[in-house]
Amino acid sequence: MSRNRRRLFFSAAARGGIWLMAAIALLPLALVLLHTVTNGLPAALSVNFYTHVERPVGIPGAGVSHALTGTLVMVGIASLLAIPVGVVGGIHLVEYGGGQLPRGIRLAADVLVGTPSIAVGLFVYAIAVAPFHHFSALSGAVALAVLMLPIVLRTTESAIALVPNGIREAGLALGLARWRVALQLILPAAAPGVLTGCLLAVARAAGETAPLLFTAFGNKFYTLDPTRAMSALPLIVFHDALTPYEDLVRQAWGAALLLVALTLFTNVLSRLALRRQIALAGGQ
Amino acid sequence: MVARPQTGTPTAGSSTVSPHLTALEGAPQTLVSVEGVSFWYGKRQALNQLDLAIPHRRVTALIGPSGCGKSTLLRMLNRMYDLVPGSRTAGRILFGGEDILATRQLLELRQKIGMVFQKPSPFPMSIRDNVAFAPRLLGWGKKRINDAVERSLRDAALWDEVKDRLSASGTSLSGGQQQRLAIARAIAVGPEVILMDEPCSALDPMATLKIEDLMRRLVETYTIVIVTHNMQQAARVADHTAFMLMDPEHGYGELVEFGNTTDIFQKPKDPRTEAYITGRFG
Ligand SMILES: Nc1ncnc2c1ncn2[C@@H]1O[C@H](COP(=O)(O)OP(=O)(O)OP(=O)(O)O)[C@@H](O)[C@H]1O
Ligand SMILES: [Mg+2]
């Protein structure tokens, strides 16, 4: 009897311990979210925040619309650059992956993932900003694309590698050329993993500040012209958060909240896409 | 029962009923002629000097212990080995006057010689699209594709089970249904030969019997070559049986005996065949 009671006690204690650990792990996340929301909400609740651009300190009605569109434009261009190359490269790594070249590509991608993003920014500055003597959104997008590429490449590779070999063989046995098997059969079967990788890369790029510092540089005015300097949400946070002006600090918190919301949205989107794809592949 | 646009190949006895009739007496035509064929995976020789005349519209079974090269031989018939880097062949395999081992028309070859694998591997798309896949590849018109889908599913004895849910995913089917879907997929473009590599080894006995029945009906229209580890299965479905064995000295596979299934199982000429049939090794 008492042994049983002891067992129940230990079971309850263990369960309590697990809950505690989970809570501790979630605590920083919760604090960050809470802090960002409470500090960011005052700015983010104003309509001007989304429709206006920066204003001199003291003049009300400032906004970050130029940074919001800047982030969208640059991440958009970066995606157009990085995703096709990364996905096709990832397929290539699996389907034709035996030789020296693929091994080199894999190594390069792994090194690139670990490269400090500021170094990437400097590199792009050297090749895409300095020669033209002016900052541009395009160079910012290139820097972001360099950061996205290895993520897309490697996640695509692992998603493709998970597709059962039987599908590959069945496709070939129907007379398909290898590249058609890869694009028409393997890629769709791996779509959820590939998509998740792309969205991860997008979320990473949207939050990056360092690579934009000396490429897109930032701009106090609204522009959609990718050949000009452009602002982005992380740049607003970076520039405004440390100023002594309460207005600007509030703007920075608002921009941070917007960034977090965008990232969350991207993540939810990837979950939804994943579920739909699984439903498609898994039947019913 | 199995309706299909005729391919114009002359037929000796397409109304074959008994699975065990002595095909050689009926003088079946040779459809695929394997002549002095050897195969190497890199430096390692896997097959040595095989000669085999695969008869038209019959089921030919390849049996033998694991690793003797049955799958290798089967995959030579539609050039699936092309994928293996460093592979090499010798000899020739004649089919319709052309050497399979030398042809450059792989799409055409694989249209004429379809394949069904151990694992059905339905494509991640609807049942209809699975079957329509190869016809679409050939650029057939809509009507022709729809007809091909229905005909193939009927031929594969799957139509009645799926006709109301052609848009459901191919992966939603049971294992046996998936294998029949794989057969439908393989026959959609009207091949002459169907290669099957242990098509029932992942199925339960009921599903296996269904596929065996199906094979006996398909052979009225198609020539079937099947690799199987199941001796009863070979005895049940095959008209002809080839027994292969690995040469213990050289490590490559050889053809030991080829003949009517009844002869192979009841009065094998080679003592090694008899030993294998009676379960003394392998
Ligand atoms: N891709 C490959 N590369 C190198 N060697 C291979 C390859 N595939 C098969 N082999 C070898 O060739 C020989 C014949 O293989 P194969 O798969 O044809 O045998 P099998 O008779 O089908 O055997 P099982 O009954 O187990 O399927 C084996 O010794 C095997 O190890
Ligand atoms: Mg095999």
Side-chain angles (χ1 to χ4, degrees), chain B:
Chain B
M1 235 174 308
V2 176
R4 188 176 75 99
Q6 297 295 306
T7 43
T9 340
T11 141
S14 62
S15 55
T16 303
V17 206
S18 158
H20 301 139
L21 94 174
T22 46
L24 291 175
E25 278 165 23
Q29 268 182 297
T30 298
L31 185 66
V32 182
S33 167
V34 177
E35 300 176 1
V37 159
S38 304
F39 188 86
W40 289 262
Y41 287 109
K43 287 209 171 66
R44 195 178 165 298
Q45 187 171 4
L47 291 176
N48 186 46
Q49 291 288 331
L50 264 61
D51 292 289
L52 198 66
I54 295 167
H56 185 234
R57 292 194 181 162
R58 296 284 194 279
V59 177
T60 301
L62 307 178
I63 62 169
S66 192
C68 68
K70 305 180 294 294
S71 299
T72 304
L73 174 59
L74 199 71
R75 282 159 176 268
M76 288 184 84
L77 298 180
N78 72 341
R79 289 279 293 275
M80 287 297 284
Y81 67 78
D82 275 26
L83 281 183
V84 183
S87 60
R88 191 159 65 81
T89 65
R92 55 180 197 169
I93 302 179
L94 291 182
F95 171 59
E98 244 200 295
D99 183 2
I100 289 177
L101 299 181
T103 186
R104 307 182 125 252
Q105 316 293 326
L106 282 193
L107 175 58
E108 238 168 84
L109 172 69
R110 288 173 183 167
Q111 246 170 273
K112 288 185 188 150
I113 304 190
M115 187 156 191
V116 174
F117 299 86
Q118 180 176 359
K119 284 204 0 223
S121 300
F123 297 147
M125 50 183 80
S126 72
I127 294 170
R128 179 190 294 110
D129 289 345
N130 261 280
V131 183
F133 199 90
R136 284 204 185 112
L137 191 67
L138 300 179
W140 288 9
K142 210 169 179 162
K143 169 97 173 57
R144 193 168 171 207
I145 290 180
N146 285 340
D147 291 348
V149 167
E150 176 167 351
R151 171 185 51 74
S152 310
L153 285 169
R154 280 190 193 283
D155 281 7
L158 190 58
W159 176 253
D160 291 331
E161 289 158 68
V162 301
K163 63 171 185 274
D164 299 322
R165 50 172 180 144
L166 290 175
S167 302
S169 168
T171 47
S172 67
L173 299 172
S174 74
Q177 289 173 326
Q178 284 188 12
Q179 196 57 293
R180 278 177 281 145
L181 180 64
I183 292 173
R185 185 172 66 187
I187 61 181
V189 291
E192 292 177 45
V193 185
I194 311 172
L195 310 175
M196 299 182 167
D197 197 344
E198 302 183 41
C200 302
S201 61
L203 303 182
D204 67 71
M206 287 309 291
T208 298
L209 278 184
K210 254 200 177 129
I211 302 265
E212 288 178 4
D213 273 356
L214 179 59
M215 278 193 260
R216 285 317 312 171
R217 286 198 288 123
L218 286 173
V219 79
E220 292 170 17
T221 325
Y222 307 94
T223 298
I224 297 179
V225 184
I226 176 179
V227 169
T228 178
H229 272 284
N230 181 334
M231 226 86 71
Q232 285 81 32
Q233 180 167 67
R236 281 193 299 264
V237 302
D239 305 298
H240 306 281
T241 297
F243 172 61
M244 296 170 62
L245 201 57
M246 188 191 274
D247 182 304
E249 191 181 334
H250 300 94
Y252 49 56
E254 283 180 319
L255 182 69
V256 173
E257 191 168 349
F258 177 51
N260 294 327
T261 299
T262 33
D263 295 342
I264 293 282
F265 279 89
Q266 282 162 22
K267 38 179 176 150
K269 294 196 188 76
D270 196 295
R272 291 171 295 175
T273 313
E274 189 179 359
Y276 183 72
I277 302 291
T278 53
R280 266 187 279 136
F281 72 90

Side-chain angles (χ1 to χ4, degrees), chain A residues 66-273:
Chain A
H66 61 312
L68 181 58
T69 54
T71 287
L72 295 180
V73 166
M74 283 191 277
V75 172
I77 296 176
S79 302
L80 287 182
L81 293 175
I83 289 179
V85 177
V87 168
V88 171
I91 295 174
H92 185 88
L93 281 185
V94 181
E95 300 295 317
Y96 306 87
Q100 283 295 339
L101 181 67
R103 221 170 301 150
I105 293 174
R106 244 178 238 126
L107 182 68
D110 288 346
V111 171
L112 207 51
V113 167
T115 306
S117 54
I118 193 138
V120 172
L122 202 57
F123 163 71
V124 175
Y125 173 83
I127 63 157
V129 177
F132 304 102
H133 304 295
H134 70 92
F135 298 109
S136 67
L138 218 48
S139 63
V142 170
L144 295 182
V146 171
L147 288 172
M148 291 174 71
L149 183 62
I151 303 176
V152 175
L153 190 85
R154 293 296 258 160
T155 46
T156 299
E157 186 192 1
S158 48
I160 297 278
L162 284 179
V163 175
N165 201 32
I167 290 190
R168 207 167 273 127
E169 292 199 317
L172 290 168
L174 289 181
L176 267 78
R178 266 179 96 179
W179 64 271
R180 288 193 78 153
V181 172
L183 288 184
Q184 287 189 294
L185 291 176
I186 307 286
L187 189 57
V194 173
L195 194 65
T196 305
C198 292
L199 289 170
L200 265 176
V202 164
R204 162 101 198 265
E208 279 290 345
T209 320
L212 298 181
L213 287 176
F214 15 76
T215 51
F217 188 70
N219 191 337
K220 292 204 180 311
F221 302 99
Y222 193 94
T223 179
L224 288 175
D225 180 355
T227 62
R228 298 181 50 186
M230 201 182 269
S231 191
L233 290 172
L235 287 173
I236 296 278
V237 179
F238 179 76
H239 287 306
D240 291 359
L242 298 180
T243 59
Y245 308 105
E246 210 176 295
D247 287 8
L248 292 186
V249 173
R250 195 167 338 117
Q251 292 290 90
W253 276 111
L257 178 59
L258 201 52
L259 257 184
V260 170
L262 279 180
T263 313
L264 193 70
F265 176 71
T266 315
N267 270 304
V268 170
L269 211 64
S270 82
R271 297 280 158 129
L272 284 181

